[in-house]
């Protein structure tokens, strides 16, 4: 919708409680996991109107009315989309104010690219299901165990092994050549004008986000190519490292279960969803990144499970993913499918119940990393230098263990592997103990309160204010106008907040880059937690004003306390 970004609309849909919205106008009673009542859109005596919290939708089996909270307000109150969205946004504390003209122009351009992708998606679907050239793809899907209903639900398609069939189809639909190229669907010819199709002879997998198709993946079935899988290039609508395949379908399950299940391939995700594992997502032809972890955490994931292919490449990918999760302090586990299988092959073989049992027994990621590191150890017969090297290699893994008991068990495992005393390994992993220093002279006791070098209440308020400033240019301006930055006591937080304010003056705040610029792991993690808490609780101008006021009071109190302590110290050292 013009003037409201897709990200804002998704945030609104995530934040709104559809049950609460409907209950204000319709009497609802609990029915299992859903709610039911009399439909407000047609007269009925027996309830056929259902609200499904997990999917955030309503549906009437009598008249067919269906949609989300925005659609409910539109239909019941006769409001436009914008009016309904703004009403719900006000209630949920979501800022939907129009972007600046430049952002509106970019938004319109992205919408045009999405429309081109939609036309391409329809073209690919028709070739798959209606054209003889689609037979090879239909046979492939059947061989993979992908049901027709599943393939249609995921809008799979087929790009025929022809040079420019899609480009010609789009040209007949009056789609400009430049848009086709910008969408990543066509590639300029070298020896003549026009485009040839990027995807040829490939089973097509649409990549969707915020309710629209943003890119495609293609699996080679006909013709020759060095790439078995081909993906759309980065476009104004799509960045590989910033999107997860199947998240649009997995979002509710992730929120409900608190778990995101990462797989490597498109068909791994599709196969798991078909089998009933609804929390599966996949990266789009790229390695897992911290950004991907942030995406699923914002969707509600409190734990990650990596289910990569059971071959050597899959094990390397699982190791890298586990390292990223450990560095970000995100709880994670690893399941290695048996016999080198792909996850979709495993779930077909063992069924949903069997697969869930495998998931339940998945190995903690840190333990998986420890086992991988110890695989290269030479054992008791290895040279001393080699065994010392092993201890050094696993030190970071052992120290990252979530509990003291886990650390002790890891230490015992390492000691057994290299045939060394447990206490010696523990001391090596802990590092050198500090040498004892002469105790400092006892100072004169004073009853004056001691102010810690870092007032935790101040730090928390400053991180909260920074999170607001990074959220929108409007909030950043409020922070700047308040003069609160001058009272910030943590230099690292103040510097990032000042950059956020400076960016806001230019029209856009790059939140991810600002978070990444914080060197302190502790501060960075605390800021991310604060952002997540604000995402869940909602943001408002009133709350920000309260935080700024509270921060000012605490800062003034601490300044006064420091002044008192300083005066007391001066009195103590003043000659009598």
């Amino acid at each position: 919708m013009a003037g409201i970004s897709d990200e804002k609309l998704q945030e609104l849909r995530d934040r709104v409680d559809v049950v609460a919205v409907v209950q204000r106008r319709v009497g609802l009673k609990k029915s299992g996991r859903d709610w039911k009542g009399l439909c407000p859109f047609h007269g009925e005596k027996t309830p056929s109107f259902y609200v499904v919290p997990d999917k955030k939708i309503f549906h009437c089996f009598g008249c067919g009315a269906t949609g989300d909270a925005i659609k409910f307000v539109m239909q019941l109150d006769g409001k436009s989309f914008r009016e309904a969205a703004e009403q719900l946004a006000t209630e949920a504390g979501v800022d939907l104010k129009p972007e600046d003209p430049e952002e509106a122009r970019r938004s319109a351009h992205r919408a045009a690219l999405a429309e081109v992708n939609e036309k391409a998606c329809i073209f690919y679907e028709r070739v798959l299901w209606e054209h003889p050239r689609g037979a090879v793809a239909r046979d492939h899907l059947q061989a993979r165990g992908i049901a027709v209903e599943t393939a249609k639900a995921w809008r799979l398609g087929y790009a025929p092994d022809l040079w420019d069939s899609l480009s010609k189809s789009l040209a007949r639909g009056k789609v400009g050549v430049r848009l086709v190229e910008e969408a990543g669907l066509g590639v300029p010819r070298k020896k003549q004008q026009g485009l040839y199709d990027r995807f040829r002879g490939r089973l097509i997998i649409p990549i969707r986000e915020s309710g629209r198709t943003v890119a495609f993946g293609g699996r080679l079935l006909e013709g020759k190519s060095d790439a078995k899988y081909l993906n759309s290039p980065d476009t104004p609508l799509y960045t590989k490292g910033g999107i997860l395949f199947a998240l649009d379908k997995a979002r509710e399950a992730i929120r409900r279960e608190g778990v995101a299940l990462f797989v490597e391939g498109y068909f791994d995700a599709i196969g798991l969803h078909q089998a009933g594992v609804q929390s599966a997502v996949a990266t789009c032809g790229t390695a897992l990144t911290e950004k991907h972890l942030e995406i699923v955490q914002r969707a509600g994931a409190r734990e990650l499970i990596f289910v990569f292919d059971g071959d050597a490449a899959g094990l390397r990918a699982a190791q890298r993913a586990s390292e990223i999760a450990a560095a970000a302090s995100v709880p994670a586990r690893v399941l290695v499918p048996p016999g080198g299988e792909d996850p979709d092959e495993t779930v077909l073989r063992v069924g949903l119940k069997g697969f869930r049992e495998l998931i339940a027994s998945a190995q903690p990621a840190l333990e998986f990393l420890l086992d991988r590191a110890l695989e290269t150890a030479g054992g008791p017969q290895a040279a001393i230098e080699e065994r010392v090297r092993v201890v050094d290699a696993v030190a970071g893994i052992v120290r990252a263990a979530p509990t003291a008991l886990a650390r002790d068990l890891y230490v015992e495992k390492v000691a057994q592997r290299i045939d060394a005393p447990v206490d010696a390994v523990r001391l090596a992993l802990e590092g050198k103990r500090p040498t004892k220093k002469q105790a400092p002279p006892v100072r004169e006791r004073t009853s004056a309160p001691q102010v810690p070098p870092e007032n935790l209440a101040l730090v928390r308020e400053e991180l909260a204010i920074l999170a607001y400033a990074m959220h929108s240019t409007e909030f950043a301006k409020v922070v700047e106008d308040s003069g609160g930055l001058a009272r910030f006591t943590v230099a690292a937080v103040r510097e990032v907040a000042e950059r956020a304010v400076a960016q806001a003056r230019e029209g856009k705040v790059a939140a991810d880059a600002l978070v990444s610029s914080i060197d302190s792991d502790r501060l960075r993690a605390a800021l991310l937690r604060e952002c997540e808490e604000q995402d869940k609780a909602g943001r408002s101008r009133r709350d920000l004003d309260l935080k700024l006021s509270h921060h000012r009071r605490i800062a003034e109190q601490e300044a006064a306390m420091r002044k008192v302590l300083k005066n007391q110290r001066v009195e103590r050292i003043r000659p009598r």
Side-chain angles (χ1 to χ4, degrees), residues 477-497:
K477 188 176 188 307
V478 173
V479 172
E480 181 181 22
D481 293 344
S482 72
L485 294 185
R487 291 185 287 272
F488 271 36
T489 59
V490 183
V493 178
R494 183 177 61 251
E495 291 171 4
V496 177

Side-chain angles (χ1 to χ4, degrees), residues 61 87 92 100 138 149 160 219 248 413 436 454 516 565:
F61 290 92
Q87 175 186 318
D100 56 55
R138 295 193 293 271
E149 295 78 10
R219 202 277 191 196
D248 59 319
K413 192 170 190 175
K436 291 184 178 180
E454 251 187 21
S516 300
L565 292 175

Side-chain angles (χ1 to χ4, degrees), residues 391-465:
V391 174
D392 291 339
V394 302
I397 301 171
V398 175
R399 291 169 189 160
T403 65
L405 176 59
R407 280 193 295 277
D408 286 344
L409 293 175
Y410 287 175
V411 168
E412 290 181 9
K413 192 170 190 175
V414 175
Q416 183 180 15
R417 185 71 178 82
I418 64 173
D419 192 26
V422 172
D423 289 341
V425 173
R426 181 176 289 107
L427 287 175
L429 291 171
E430 290 174 353
K432 293 182 179 179
R433 292 183 176 180
T435 56
K436 291 184 178 180
K437 295 183 179 179
Q438 185 177 357
V442 178
R443 296 180 179 271
E444 180 184 350
R445 290 183 180 270
T446 173
S447 59
Q450 299 298 307
V451 178
E454 251 187 21
N455 186 314
L456 296 181
L458 265 177
V459 175
R460 284 194 292 269
E461 290 297 337
E462 288 169 11
L463 288 171
I465 293 168

